[in-house]
Amino acid sequence: MKKRLSLLFSLMLILSLFLAACGGFNKKDEAGDNKAGDKKSNVPQELRVNIKTEPFSLHPGLANDSTSGTVLRQTFEGLTVIKDGKPQLAAAESYEVSDDLKTYTFKLRDAKWTNGDPVTAQDFEYAWKWALDPKNQSQYAYQLYYIKNGQAYNEGKAKADDVGVKAIDDKTLQVTLENPTPYFLELTAFYTYYPVNSKIAQKNPNWYKNAGPDYTSNGPFKMVSWEHNNKIVLEKNENYWDAKNVKLTKIDMAMVNDDNTELSMFNNGELDWAGMPTGQLPTDSLPQLKKEGKLHVQPIAGTYWLKFNTEKPPFNNVNIRKALTYAIDRKALVENVTKGEQIPAMAAVPPTMFPENKKGYFKDNDVEKAKEYLQKGLQELGLKDVKDLPPITYSFNTNDAHAKIAQAIQDMWKKNLGINVKLENAEWNVYIDKLHSGDYQVGRMGWLGDFNDPINFLELFRDKKGGNNDTNWENPKYKQLLIDSQKQSDPEKRKQMLKDAEAILMDELPVAPVYFYTNTWVQKDNLKGVEVSGLGDVQFRWAYFE
C-alpha cells in the first residue's frame, strides 16, 4: 500500500503479497471524494432493494451475517471505509503508526451521531471492549484479537483495562496491537470495529433492537423505520460529516425471501436492484438475463461450503467426512444448478488469495476415492453396511437456491454412495442459532471475506468454540500455525504457514468446500456509483440516479 511514512515500507511489502484487491492507501484520500455523483438531477434519489430476511442483529458487536452487515454498512462508519478495494479515511481524519508497526494513533474528525451527540474516541473504545467482553457473547469477538490483550480479555484472562485500545481524549484513539498486522487499516472498516454511542448504550442496553430515538448511528444513512420481518427504511443522515456528498435521500429495504418474487418486483419497477449482494436472483433466470445483457457477474472472495458437526455421528469420523466431500460433482452443480459462473471449490481459501486453489487439494467428483473412504469409515465405526449409518440430516436456511443445491447433493450422495439423507430447512435466524448451538449434523454455510487475507478464512476454525466455527473441530498443529503466522514478518514464510494450515483443514475436512462465489445481479440503468467490493459487500453512500 502507498504510504508517505517511510517507516511503513515493510508494511507495503507484506500487503503487496496478500491484498490483491487492495491497490493503495494514501493518507490524504477521503471517503467523501466523489465527483461522479455531483451531477445535478431531478430524478428522485430513492433506492429500493431487497435484503431477503430479518437481520440477525443491528448491533455492530453482535452482527455476524451478510444481511446485518448490509444494513450496518449504510448506517454506521468505522475509522476507515473500503472504496475501490482500498481502505480510505472515514471517521478518522488522520493516523500515525509507531516504528514497530504495533501502535496506531487515530485522530477523529468532527462528527455527530444521528441524535446530535459528538462521536468520540470513547465511543470506539466502549464498542470494541463491549464486543470483547465475554458476557456479551459476540460471535465476532475474535476479529478484535489483533488488539493487545483482546483475546485474553475475551477468554477471562485479563481485564478490560488491559485491552490495547484507549481514548487519549475525545478525538484521539490509541490502538496497540499484539503483532504488526499488515491489514489492520482494512480491519477498521469492518462492522465489529464500528463505534457505538456509549451514552445511549449505557442507559439503554436494548438500544439496538428497534428503530427509534435511541437507535443512533454515525454513517451516511439513519434508520427511520424497522418493521420486523417486513421492511427497513433508511434516510440520509443530515448529521453525517460528509452529507454533502451523499446523493440518495432514502433507501427502502424489503424482506422478501423468494427469489422469483424479487426478480418480478424488479421487472415491475418495484425494485432498483435485484440479486446479490443484498438479495438473490432465481438460478433459472440467470442464463436468459445473461443472454439479454442485463446480468452483472463479479467473482468475489467467498466460499460456499458444508459444515460437518464433528461431534455428532457419523461426522465424528474423518473418513465419512471425506467420502461425502469427494462424492460431490461440483462442476455439474455450478453448470446445472447455480448457473452463476461460480468456480468449483476443492479448497477453503478463494483463488483471489491463493491462485493455486483453482485446482485445490482433491479431485472433483472423485467417486472411486469416496467409496474407499466410506468403507474405511464404516469399518472404523464398526458398521457392516452403509444402511447401518445413523440417520443423516442436511440442514439449510429457507431459500430456493439453497434448496436446489441441497437436493442435488442429496441425489449425488444417494447415487454415488448409497447414503440416504433427509433435508431440513429453517428461516435464517432460527437456522443460524441452530448452527451456533451445534444443533445440526451437516449444514450449508458460506463465508465472504471480511478482509482480503487468507487468515480470515482459516481463523474461523482455529478454536473449537470460536465464534463462527460451528463444526466443533480443533487441531493443535493447525492452531499453532495460525498463531505463529501472526508473528511472522517474512511474507513468503507467512504464506507457507497459512498454506500448511489449509492443508491440514483440507485433510480433516470439518467443512466440505463446494464452490467459490460470484455476485450476480441486475440493476436499473440509471443507477450509478454503487460500490460492490471484491469481498462481496455493498456500499450505497456514493450511489445516485442520473
Side-chain angles (χ1 to χ4, degrees):
M1 289 185 170
K2 293 182 180 178
K3 293 284 187 185
R4 289 178 180 261
L5 301 175
S6 60
L7 62 90
L8 293 183
F9 182 67
S10 60
L11 178 60
M12 178 186 70
L13 293 177
I14 299 173
L15 282 167
S16 67
L17 176 65
F18 292 105
L19 302 187
C22 187
F25 183 103
N26 190 310
K27 291 176 75 173
K28 288 189 176 180
D29 287 345
E30 298 271 334
D33 292 342
N34 181 31
K35 303 302 182 186
D38 291 339
K39 299 175 182 178
K40 298 291 183 181
S41 173
N42 293 322
V43 178
Q45 298 299 311
E46 298 182 359
L47 177 66
R48 298 160 302 171
V49 301
N50 180 36
I51 59 171
K52 295 183 71 66
T53 67
E54 176 80 358
F56 176 74
S57 176
L58 292 186
H59 188 310
L62 293 177
N64 61 17
D65 65 302
S66 58
T67 303
S68 303
T70 292
V71 181
L72 290 171
R73 286 186 182 92
Q74 321 316 319
T75 54
F76 281 81
E77 179 173 80
L79 297 167
T80 61
V81 65
I82 303 299
K83 188 171 191 292
D84 299 325
K86 301 172 283 189
Q88 298 187 5
L89 293 170
E93 189 173 57
S94 65
Y95 72 95
E96 294 179 356
V97 188
S98 62
D99 289 343
D100 64 1
L101 306 179
K102 290 169 67 173
T103 301
Y104 287 71
T105 304
F106 296 94
K107 288 290 182 180
L108 303 188
R109 63 177 78 253
D110 290 329
K112 294 179 180 180
W113 292 99
T114 47
N115 69 345
D117 289 344
V119 177
T120 66
Q122 288 87 351
D123 293 329
F124 280 90
E125 179 181 354
Y126 170 85
W128 296 6
K129 288 181 177 179
W130 188 95
L132 284 168
D133 189 335
K135 75 172 185 288
N136 294 321
Q137 298 183 331
S138 171
Q139 297 286 338
Y140 255 138
Y142 67 84
Q143 289 286 38
L144 297 157
Y145 284 4
Y146 303 94
I147 300 169
K148 189 172 182 62
N149 288 320
Q151 181 175 2
Y153 175 46
N154 187 240
E155 294 178 349
K157 301 173 183 176
K159 298 177 182 178
D161 289 343
D162 299 327
V163 178
V165 54
K166 183 178 181 181
I168 304 300
D169 55 46
D170 284 352
K171 295 297 180 185
T172 309
L173 184 73
Q174 187 177 82
V175 184
T176 304
L177 306 180
E178 290 281 4
N179 303 290
T181 305
Y183 42 84
F184 183 66
L185 290 171
E186 196 171 356
L187 274 169
T188 60
F190 187 62
Y191 52 73
T192 313
Y193 282 80
Y194 288 168
V196 164
N197 188 327
S198 54
K199 291 181 181 178
I200 294 287
Q202 287 169 336
K203 289 179 182 177
N204 177 13
N206 294 318
W207 66 270
Y208 60 92
K209 293 186 176 180
N210 292 286
D214 281 355
Y215 195 91
T216 56
S217 59
N218 70 322
F221 301 96
K222 60 184 179 181
M223 182 168 63
V224 297
S225 174
W226 184 0
E227 299 174 30
H228 292 282
N229 296 300
N230 184 39
K231 186 179 183 181
I232 286 175
V233 178
L234 310 181
E235 290 182 358
K236 181 177 176 177
N237 176 13
E238 67 277 6
N239 282 330
Y240 181 53
W241 67 269
D242 195 35
K244 68 180 185 298
N245 283 314
V246 178
K247 304 305 173 187
L248 294 179
T249 60
K250 184 180 180 182
I251 305 175
D252 283 333
M253 296 179 158
M255 300 179 196
V256 177
N257 201 9
D258 182 271
D259 302 344
N260 288 294
T261 303
E262 179 174 346
L263 181 56
S264 294
M265 290 174 70
F266 176 81
N267 291 332
N268 293 335
E270 300 171 68
L271 293 175
D272 304 301
W273 181 289
M276 298 175 179
T278 64
Q280 193 161 350
L281 295 170
T283 55
D284 291 343
S285 72
L286 301 182
Q288 183 61 30
L289 290 171
K290 183 178 180 180
K291 184 178 178 182
E292 295 171 359
K294 297 178 181 177
L295 187 67
H296 297 256
V297 180
Q298 175 184 322
I300 59 173
T303 310
Y304 190 106
W305 49 36
L306 307 182
K307 289 186 173 182
F308 297 116
N309 188 338
T310 61
E311 289 189 341
K312 285 198 174 182
F315 301 115
N316 56 340
N317 183 279
V318 65
N319 286 311
I320 297 297
R321 300 197 298 267
K322 285 185 175 183
L324 293 179
T325 300
Y326 284 37
I328 298 173
D329 188 343
R330 294 158 180 79
K331 184 174 183 291
L333 198 66
V334 300
E335 289 179 355
N336 303 320
V337 180
T338 61
K339 303 178 185 177
E341 301 182 23
Q342 295 89 350
I343 302 168
M346 283 74 74
V349 177
T352 53
M353 299 176 184
F354 284 155
E356 56 270 36
N357 280 0
K358 285 184 179 179
K359 182 177 179 182
Y361 289 83
F362 52 87
K363 192 171 77 172
D364 183 26
N365 192 32
D366 194 344
V367 178
E368 186 176 338
K369 271 285 186 186
K371 289 179 178 177
E372 291 179 13
Y373 284 123
L374 177 61
Q375 289 306 310
K376 286 182 183 178
L378 291 173
Q379 290 174 8
E380 289 166 354
L381 292 172
L383 304 176
K384 294 181 179 180
D385 190 86
V386 68
K387 294 177 182 178
D388 297 326
L389 281 170
I392 294 174
T393 300
Y394 176 129
S395 302
F396 60 96
N397 55 298
T398 305
N399 173 274
D400 182 57
H402 297 325
K404 289 181 178 178
I405 292 169
Q407 290 159 8
I409 293 176
Q410 178 190 44
D411 290 342
M412 292 171 189
W413 286 345
K414 174 63 175 176
K415 176 186 174 183
N416 295 334
L417 300 176
I419 295 177
N420 291 308
V421 177
K422 177 186 173 184
L423 302 184
E424 176 183 83
N425 69 296
E427 291 301 318
W428 174 250
N429 282 343
V430 175
Y431 178 72
I432 195 69
D433 280 342
K434 286 170 73 74
L435 255 67
H436 288 337
S437 64
D439 183 19
Y440 79 103
Q441 283 181 297
V442 53
R444 65 75 38 189
M445 187 52 67
W447 188 258
L448 304 180
D450 300 323
F451 53 93
N452 205 43
D453 189 277
I455 199 168
N456 182 227
F457 286 78
L458 301 174
E459 69 184 349
L460 292 171
F461 308 103
R462 196 188 89 167
D463 300 302
K464 177 179 178 178
K465 295 301 180 183
N468 288 302
N469 185 331
D470 301 327
T471 68
N472 291 311
W473 176 84
E474 186 175 288
N475 179 291
K477 186 177 179 182
Y478 178 88
K479 184 173 183 175
Q480 194 60 48
L481 280 166
L482 296 187
I483 292 171
D484 292 344
S485 76
Q486 297 290 78
K487 304 170 186 176
Q488 178 54 253
S489 59
D490 184 306
E492 284 300 325
K493 290 180 179 178
R494 178 176 181 270
K495 179 181 178 182
Q496 190 56 52
M497 286 178 174
L498 297 178
K499 287 295 296 180
D500 291 346
E502 186 184 31
I504 293 172
L505 187 72
M506 289 296 94
D507 182 53
E508 298 200 5
L509 291 173
V511 293
V514 180
Y515 61 76
F516 298 120
Y517 276 97
T518 57
N519 271 348
T520 53
W521 75 89
V522 291
Q523 68 180 82
K524 290 292 179 65
D525 292 339
N526 67 332
L527 176 60
K528 309 294 180 180
V530 176
E531 178 83 5
V532 181
S533 81
L535 298 173
D537 52 57
V538 65
Q539 295 270 4
F540 294 124
R541 68 176 67 200
W542 302 289
Y544 63 98
F545 291 94
E546 66 176 15

